[in-house]
Amino acid sequence: MKFKKRKFVKILGFSAIALLFPIKAILAATKKVINPNLSKEQKKVMFNEGTERPFTSDLLKEKRKGFYHCANCGNKLFASTSKFDSGTGWPSFSEALPGAFKTKLDKSFGMERLEYHCAKCGVHHGHVFNDGPKESGKRFCNNGLCLIFKPE
Ligand SMILES: [Zn+2]
């Protein structure tokens, strides 16, 4: 009798973990650290929707041909042909590659801005505005810390 009781407790404990697991798995899938070498600053921007200080990104001067990837998961986000100098101090792009991002309305700081995040790993990248200079009319204002440039 004693043995049976213990076995029952064990089964109960196991089902509790099994029940909790799908919720945890869903939460983790929306935003998770894939690149273990991310710096503290990168994590702050990507996971807490922070903003890097303007005019600090080395990518502002990047003029080579290639692609910009997500620094966390490597997802291909922008082609160098869409990059332009917006004068804002953040790397700016007129359009993203199809399916690269998902967007969400951000109402922080008393403004309504369209926040965008990596469609693959969910980390924050920047905000998109409708005052772009090219045909798309878009300006993707991206934190340089979230990007890795790979020249072609
Ligand atoms: Zn990503």
Side-chain angles (χ1 to χ4, degrees):
M1 193 62 195
K2 234 182 182 178
F3 173 75
K4 268 188 182 168
K5 210 175 180 184
R6 213 180 280 161
K7 201 174 177 188
F8 177 71
V9 169
K10 240 186 184 174
I11 291 164
L12 201 73
F14 177 76
S15 2
I17 292 166
L19 273 173
L20 282 172
F21 182 73
I23 302 162
K24 267 196 157 177
I26 290 162
L27 281 176
T30 55
K31 246 187 208 184
K32 65 179 171 189
V33 178
I34 292 165
N35 176 1
N37 301 318
L38 289 177
S39 70
K40 219 172 137 187
E41 287 74 29
Q42 283 179 305
K43 283 184 188 167
K44 208 170 146 189
V45 173
M46 292 175 148
F47 293 90
N48 300 325
E49 299 193 4
T51 302
E52 73 188 9
R53 281 199 302 125
F55 301 101
T56 55
S57 175
D58 288 340
L59 292 178
L60 289 168
K61 286 171 264 165
E62 184 57 69
K63 296 263 195 299
R64 287 175 291 169
K65 223 180 139 195
F67 289 94
Y68 293 82
H69 298 250
C70 175
N72 186 35
C73 74
N75 191 17
K76 215 186 232 187
L77 306 172
F78 298 107
S80 57
T81 47
S82 69
K83 191 171 185 281
F84 68 96
D85 184 5
S86 65
T88 58
W90 290 284
S92 302
F93 303 86
S94 58
E95 58 189 330
L97 294 172
F101 294 115
K102 285 184 177 164
T103 57
K104 158 188 121 205
L105 199 62
D106 174 9
K107 292 184 178 175
S108 61
F109 302 107
M111 296 177 271
E112 280 203 354
R113 295 177 300 168
L114 204 57
E115 181 270 352
Y116 63 89
H117 48 272
C118 176
K120 209 167 148 191
C121 73
V123 300
H124 171 72
H125 273 266
H127 290 88
V128 59
F129 302 91
N130 290 318
D131 56 9
K134 297 191 185 180
E135 306 91 76
S136 72
K138 301 275 185 221
R139 172 171 60 94
F140 286 82
C141 187
N142 212 105
N143 289 283
L145 282 173
C146 307
L147 297 171
I148 287 175
F149 176 67
K150 289 184 186 165
E152 271 200 318

